[in-house]
Amino acid sequence: MGNDKLPYVLVIIIQAIYAGMFILTKAALDAGLNPFVLLFYRQAIASVVLLPVTAVTNWRTSLKLSYMVLFKIFMLSLIGITVGLNASHIGLKLTSETVGSAAFNAIPVITFFLAFLMRMETLNLRKSHGIAKAAGVVLCLAGVGLIAFYMGPAIPPLNHHKLFHPKSSPSHSEVHSNGTWIKGTFLFLFSNVAWSLWLVTQGVILKDCPSKILLTTIQCVFSTFQSFVVAIAFERDFSKWKMGFDVRLLGVVYCALCNAGISWYLQAWCLQVKGPVFVAMSNPLCIVFTVMSSVLILGVPVSLGSVLGGIMTIAGLYSVLWGKNQESKLFKLSDENSKIQNDEEQVAVSIGESTSSNISLQKL
């Protein structure tokens, strides 16, 4: 396979992995696994896998990190991983994997909005690209609101035999009548804000910790201890921490290895080769894979509101990305014009100096 086609194949694999994460995490939670315990297990496994690799390749860099940098990484892991993923797991338990994958598309838009508030992004409403970015933010928020407040009829699955058989999974109507659907959706929104804040501030911390794998490993270790404290505070019955060879263990191992390991590495490679816009534009594939899996394979009904809200968040995502793309083109064109103008001024100065020298010679 040529290098020009490889990034397109990899982003499809990445989004398929993310869809599997939502599906298996939801199945593990419905099977009785505590959401806080789930996060502790997945971060602990990821730390065990990453620590030996990082110790061999980046042990010299790790010794140079100051206590202040370690404190910043500690707070970064607390916000983005411990708080953000715990909120996401609870939201997933209260709603569905379709809602999770739909809300996933809001992360790039929320990241842009936070970057704008921190003056890392610009928004010129007098230009078409500025209007597109503002409209994208509004569409994204409207999509999340639609998911929260409108479920609509359930789209029946084509497969009526569930692949996973949870012990206690609330039905479509039960979730809606209990009001937990709204709470779960806004927990997803809160999780997205925490994750977006993590993305924005991570770029600043990378200046003090240039090794990406070292930063990832330290965050995994810190979040393991943080999530353990949270898990033991909410679930003190250690008999519920035990897992057999069932969907709970499968969900934990999958999230730790495939999501935190394989997908993050592939994503970093795609970011380096094709840039962040290319990766972000593949996010809508996640909800497509999730809905198809729910309807065709898992035997789980999908609410119409989740699908429509997902479409709105996708529209908001592409609106922001289009605005960013147009803005970058204008900046590039402006830089080229400035360079041409500077070259012309230098040529004019050279001609002026040459003419002045000729006149002086003629006078002599």
Side-chain angles (χ1 to χ4, degrees), residues 254-269:
Y254 180 91
C255 290
L257 300 182
C258 294
N259 180 243
I262 298 174
S263 67
W264 287 2
Y265 175 80
L266 296 179
Q267 185 170 281
W269 187 88

Side-chain angles (χ1 to χ4, degrees), residues 25-92:
T25 301
K26 175 62 175 175
L29 294 172
D30 286 345
L33 184 60
N34 185 287
F36 304 109
V37 176
L38 188 153
L39 180 61
F40 165 68
Y41 278 142
R42 63 175 282 185
Q43 293 306 113
I45 294 174
S47 298
V48 170
V49 173
L50 289 173
L51 270 173
V53 179
T54 308
V56 173
T57 58
N58 290 271
W59 66 275
R60 290 184 179 178
T61 307
S62 62
L63 295 175
K64 298 178 182 179
L65 297 180
S66 65
Y67 289 109
M68 181 55 67
V69 174
L70 291 174
F71 175 74
K72 291 178 181 179
I73 299 175
F74 179 87
M75 295 304 297
L76 185 68
S77 61
L78 178 65
I79 295 171
I81 300 176
T82 305
V83 174
L85 289 182
N86 269 323
S88 176
H89 288 168
I90 299 173
L92 191 58

Side-chain angles (χ1 to χ4, degrees), residues 60-300:
R60 290 184 179 178
T61 307
S62 62
L63 295 175
K64 298 178 182 179
L65 297 180
S66 65
Y67 289 109
M68 181 55 67
V69 174
L70 291 174
F71 175 74
K72 291 178 181 179
I73 299 175
F74 179 87
M75 295 304 297
L76 185 68
S77 61
L78 178 65
I79 295 171
I81 300 176
T82 305
V83 174
L85 289 182
N86 269 323
S88 176
H89 288 168
I90 299 173
L92 191 58
K93 185 176 180 65
L94 297 177
T95 56
S96 69
E97 59 272 20
T98 308
V99 175
S101 58
F104 179 65
N105 293 295
I107 291 178
V109 180
I110 296 174
T111 303
F112 161 75
F113 184 68
L114 290 176
F116 169 71
L117 294 179
M118 297 172 68
R119 296 184 178 181
M120 298 171 66
E121 286 282 351
T122 59
L123 185 65
N124 188 355
L125 295 178
R126 295 181 179 179
K127 301 291 184 179
S128 59
H129 57 78
I131 296 174
K133 290 192 289 187
V137 174
V138 173
L139 272 173
C140 178
L141 295 177
V144 173
L146 183 64
I147 294 172
F149 297 106
Y150 175 73
M151 287 188 67
I155 302 174
L158 299 179
N159 176 24
H160 296 284
H161 300 283
K162 292 187 177 181
L163 180 61
F164 304 112
H165 299 278
K167 295 179 181 178
S168 59
S169 178
S171 65
H172 181 84
S173 59
E174 287 173 346
V175 173
H176 184 246
S177 61
N178 292 333
T180 55
W181 191 273
I182 296 175
K183 186 188 299 183
T185 303
F186 280 98
L187 278 171
F188 270 124
L189 180 61
F190 174 76
S191 172
N192 288 344
V193 172
W195 190 258
S196 299
L197 185 61
W198 176 80
L199 290 174
V200 172
T201 54
Q202 189 171 202
V204 179
I205 295 180
L206 275 171
K207 296 178 181 178
D208 300 319
C209 181
S211 173
K212 295 181 180 64
I213 188 171
L214 178 61
L215 178 61
T216 303
T217 303
I218 295 175
Q219 287 186 90
C220 283
V221 173
F222 280 154
S223 62
T224 298
F225 288 102
Q226 293 166 355
S227 57
F228 176 75
V229 173
V230 175
I232 201 171
F234 284 91
E235 185 56 83
R236 299 184 181 181
D237 185 2
F238 283 99
S239 62
K240 296 182 179 180
W241 289 51
K242 296 180 181 179
M243 291 188 298
F245 291 95
D246 54 14
V247 69
R248 293 175 297 174
L249 180 61
L250 178 62
V252 169
V253 174
Y254 180 91
C255 290
L257 300 182
C258 294
N259 180 243
I262 298 174
S263 67
W264 287 2
Y265 175 80
L266 296 179
Q267 185 170 281
W269 187 88
C270 291
L271 283 169
Q272 186 178 12
V273 174
K274 300 290 286 186
V277 174
F278 174 80
V279 177
M281 289 186 70
S282 68
N283 282 1
L285 289 173
C286 182
I287 188 175
V288 174
F289 290 143
T290 305
V291 172
M292 289 176 61
S293 300
S294 298
V295 175
L296 299 177
I297 301 174
L298 302 178
V300 178

